[in-house]
Amino acid sequence: MWRVVLARAAVRGLSRAGPADRLRLETALISMQGDPFGGDVRRLAGRRRLFRRRIGDWRVIFAVSTGPRTVYVQSIVRRTSTTY
């Protein structure tokens, strides 16, 4: 079992999501307790220790620490057509 820790920016991003999206994001965060690399997870280019998980239009940016088996969620952001 992995422990999922949300940074302040991640909590803020989660609060900005609508009710349906928030439910999907919370479900994904709960599933990360069992397997943080399940779902659509990719390592971020140029960032050795950061990963992103895609949940619809939302991205969960996180790092993993295998010693204490902890997932540190740094941010939850919505990807739009103007993001890139």
Side-chain angles (χ1 to χ4, degrees):
M1 193 71 155
W2 292 77
R3 192 177 104 187
V4 177
V5 178
L6 275 70
R8 184 178 295 170
V11 172
R12 227 177 305 134
L14 187 61
S15 69
R16 290 183 181 138
D21 288 334
R22 187 175 306 129
L23 181 62
R24 288 176 55 194
L25 288 166
E26 289 171 351
T27 303
L29 291 172
I30 290 169
S31 74
M32 289 175 78
Q33 292 176 341
D35 179 17
F37 298 107
D40 189 1
V41 175
R42 297 236 170 122
R43 183 183 304 266
L44 292 179
R47 306 287 181 118
R48 289 180 44 149
R49 298 187 178 155
L50 284 181
F51 299 88
R52 71 102 177 114
R53 181 172 180 173
R54 185 174 64 169
I55 301 144
D57 289 341
W58 293 84
R59 303 297 182 266
V60 176
I61 310 299
F62 65 97
V64 175
S65 177
T66 55
R69 291 180 62 92
T70 305
V71 177
Y72 298 101
V73 179
Q74 294 185 354
S75 64
I76 299 174
V77 293
R78 185 164 189 249
R79 183 172 185 257
T80 63
S81 60
T82 60
T83 301
Y84 297 111

